[in-house]
Amino acid sequence: MNNDILHRYIFDNVDVRGEIVQLENSYQEVLSAHTYPVAIEHLIGELMAATSLLTATIKFNGDISVQLQGDGPVSLAVINGNNKQVLRGVARWNDDIADDASLQEIFGKGYMVITLTPDEGERYQGIVSLDHVNLAACLEEYFNQSEQLPTQIQLFANGKQAAGMLLQVLPSKSDQTDDFEHLAALTATIKAEELFTLDAEQVLHRLYHQEEVRLFDPVDVTFKCSCSYERSGAAIKTLSQHEVEAILAEDGKIEMDCEYCTAKYAFDAIDIAALYSGSHSSQSKQ
């Protein structure tokens, strides 16, 4: 059984659609690279679920980044994804954090930046403050600002599993306010344990057994880090050759660490010479 899946669904009788995402393996792989405080573990899970839901709402080929920044104990939390539902993420923190810390206690004065980078077309960036009660409410405000479509989001994470639901009005000429509010009230009754233990069909039956719901085939969600020897070499080449040679003279090699998965890439003098001549070959992660 795949424990990392996203389902889309629509209501046949009203112009409202929804999504359910359930994560376990990919969530654990992101957490395994670092020893995070409990509050950050939960935050990363919610952020992964949110990024998956957001990606599924956007019809484009390309990348998405959902980044939280602030002046609190956590300065950065980011999940990167793409239209194939491949996710990776990391957080930076510098102080003790209570297990039940609120979003504001974690980030202080903070904001969320959502960046869409399509393979073709223009890059788009949206920003919303982190002054709402939780991450889900901040995302709802993002949709209110960017698309003006009524949207409800539920996010859950416990350090082992993460899950989320999104409900959104479809663009329509008719007023869907009453229908959406009715369905949103039903969706708001979902409990974390239900999303962690039930499959999508069971969840939808519990919530909407009196509604006409059509569930689409699931999409796998996976973890994969996009770091590589080639990307590390490209980063080194952004420095001047003189600066690189000075580092080599002092340290004997240049090491590049991936912040996401902690992979290490080492370049000695021969590697650097080959890098600048354009003849270097790829190496594996260390």
Side-chain angles (χ1 to χ4, degrees):
M1 176 181 174
N2 185 358
N3 296 320
D4 298 70
I5 50 177
L6 178 133
H7 280 89
R8 298 177 177 88
Y9 61 94
I10 62 171
F11 296 88
D12 289 333
N13 52 338
V14 294
D15 291 331
V16 176
R17 66 185 188 86
E19 299 166 9
I20 299 176
V21 63
Q22 296 164 306
L23 306 175
E24 186 171 344
N25 297 334
S26 59
Y27 178 29
Q28 289 305 306
E29 288 190 79
V30 168
L31 294 184
S32 67
H34 302 273
T35 303
Y36 290 116
V38 169
I40 298 182
E41 288 186 345
H42 294 181
L43 173 71
I44 287 176
E46 290 189 9
L47 198 54
M48 287 185 69
T51 304
S52 177
L53 294 170
L54 278 170
T55 305
T57 68
I58 304 161
K59 293 180 172 59
F60 79 102
N61 293 331
D63 299 324
I64 182 172
S65 169
V66 182
Q67 185 175 115
L68 310 182
Q69 298 181 27
D71 59 7
V74 179
S75 59
L76 171 74
V78 59
I79 300 295
N80 296 329
N82 61 29
N83 59 289
K84 296 179 180 179
Q85 289 291 333
V86 178
L87 305 176
R88 68 172 187 165
V90 71
R92 299 178 195 150
W93 77 104
N94 56 22
D95 204 351
D96 292 336
I97 303 169
D99 291 354
D100 60 350
S102 68
L103 194 62
Q104 287 73 38
E105 288 170 335
I106 291 173
F107 284 100
K109 185 177 181 181
Y111 54 93
M112 173 170 58
V113 181
I114 297 174
T115 306
L116 308 178
T117 309
D119 293 340
E120 297 181 5
E122 302 233 342
R123 192 167 176 250
Y124 168 82
Q125 195 168 77
I127 301 175
V128 63
S129 65
L130 295 179
D131 57 3
H132 297 274
V133 64
N134 53 34
L135 181 59
C138 295
L139 284 163
E140 289 172 356
E141 178 61 24
Y142 165 77
F143 277 106
N144 182 52
Q145 290 181 10
S146 65
E147 300 190 28
Q148 286 90 47
L149 292 174
T151 304
Q152 184 201 58
I153 295 174
Q154 308 284 337
L155 298 172
F156 305 99
N158 63 6
K160 295 181 178 180
Q161 295 170 279
M165 293 189 72
L166 179 145
L167 196 73
Q168 188 174 68
V169 170
L170 289 166
S172 172
K173 293 181 180 179
S174 59
D175 185 0
Q176 300 291 318
T177 302
D178 291 342
D179 291 326
F180 176 78
E181 289 180 354
H182 166 66
L183 294 172
L186 296 177
T187 309
T189 65
I190 193 66
K191 296 179 175 59
E193 195 61 27
E194 292 175 310
L195 281 181
F196 293 156
T197 59
L198 302 178
D199 62 33
E201 288 186 358
Q202 292 172 309
V203 170
L204 296 186
H205 179 72
R206 285 199 179 191
L207 292 176
Y208 316 121
H209 57 275
Q210 293 184 323
E211 309 297 329
E212 297 176 31
V213 186
R214 194 189 324 167
L215 182 65
F216 296 100
D217 291 338
V219 176
D220 291 344
V221 183
T222 58
F223 163 83
K224 183 179 180 181
C225 191
S226 58
C227 70
S228 68
Y229 182 81
E230 288 76 15
R231 287 193 173 197
S232 298
I236 290 174
K237 288 186 70 174
T238 62
L239 304 174
S240 70
Q241 191 166 354
H242 175 75
E243 188 176 357
V244 170
E245 289 172 350
I247 297 172
L248 277 176
E250 183 173 344
D251 299 332
K253 63 180 178 180
I254 295 177
E255 286 191 341
M256 302 286 289
D257 296 352
C258 176
E259 190 175 16
Y260 287 86
C261 70
T262 69
K264 297 180 183 298
Y265 300 92
F267 297 77
D268 60 18
I270 296 174
D271 296 325
I272 294 299
L275 183 67
Y276 280 97
S277 70
S279 62
H280 70 286
S281 60
S282 64
Q283 296 182 4
S284 59
K285 296 178 183 179
Q286 297 183 7

